[in-house]
Amino acid sequence: QVQLVESGGGLVQAGGSLRLSCAVSGRTFSGYVMGWFRQAPGKERDFVAAINWDYGSTNTANSVKGRFTISRDNAKNTLYLQMNSLKSEDTAVYYCAARQGAIATNNYHYDYWGQGTQVTVSS
């Protein structure tokens, strides 16, 4: 059974940093893409970043490019999202997700999801 478990969320002041982690288990993820999405109250679930588990190639949303960095540690089966220069508009529940195949930015293309971790940025 595939499990994705996020951690690292919290309350931070604008301009601060957080690092989210997503522990993945239940299968080998070779051939998979891992992604981060976020959802603010009353809004859709938006793409943040994704990474090819095997090759490390990435895709990052323009809204966070230059501030957020996605990475993975294959040996630890862990996905990360380093978030710097946080803004109030980054406040949301952040989810990690997995899909087999190429990087995709639409959440409908992802098959496995974590439970989410809350990130709140105070201005």
Side-chain angles (χ1 to χ4, degrees):
Q1 183 178 354
V2 174
Q3 280 195 312
L4 307 176
V5 181
E6 301 97 334
S7 61
L11 174 64
V12 63
Q13 288 190 330
S17 298
L18 280 176
R19 187 176 80 158
L20 305 183
S21 299
C22 176
V24 301
S25 62
R27 63 163 299 128
T28 58
F29 285 88
S30 178
Y32 274 68
V33 163
M34 309 297 295
W36 287 100
F37 289 79
R38 65 185 183 184
Q39 189 167 20
K43 296 191 176 181
E44 293 185 351
R45 190 168 296 189
D46 291 332
F47 172 76
V48 176
I51 188 166
N52 181 293
W53 191 256
D54 294 321
Y55 303 111
S57 53
T58 63
N59 188 341
T60 304
N62 287 335
S63 58
V64 303
K65 195 168 290 184
R67 300 189 297 123
F68 292 10
T69 302
I70 188 171
S71 63
R72 89 278 190 234
D73 186 327
N74 298 59
K76 295 182 178 180
N77 272 1
T78 303
L79 176 72
Y80 301 102
L81 185 68
Q82 178 66 44
M83 305 186 295
N84 299 328
S85 302
L86 283 159
K87 306 175 181 180
S88 57
E89 51 262 45
D90 295 319
T91 295
V93 177
Y94 284 71
Y95 299 90
C96 67
R99 72 179 301 267
Q100 199 166 13
I103 286 179
T105 59
N106 192 315
N107 66 79
Y108 296 109
H109 290 144
Y110 287 76
D111 301 307
Y112 303 103
W113 291 86
Q115 82 288 350
T117 185
Q118 176 72 47
V119 171
T120 303
V121 184
S122 64
S123 56

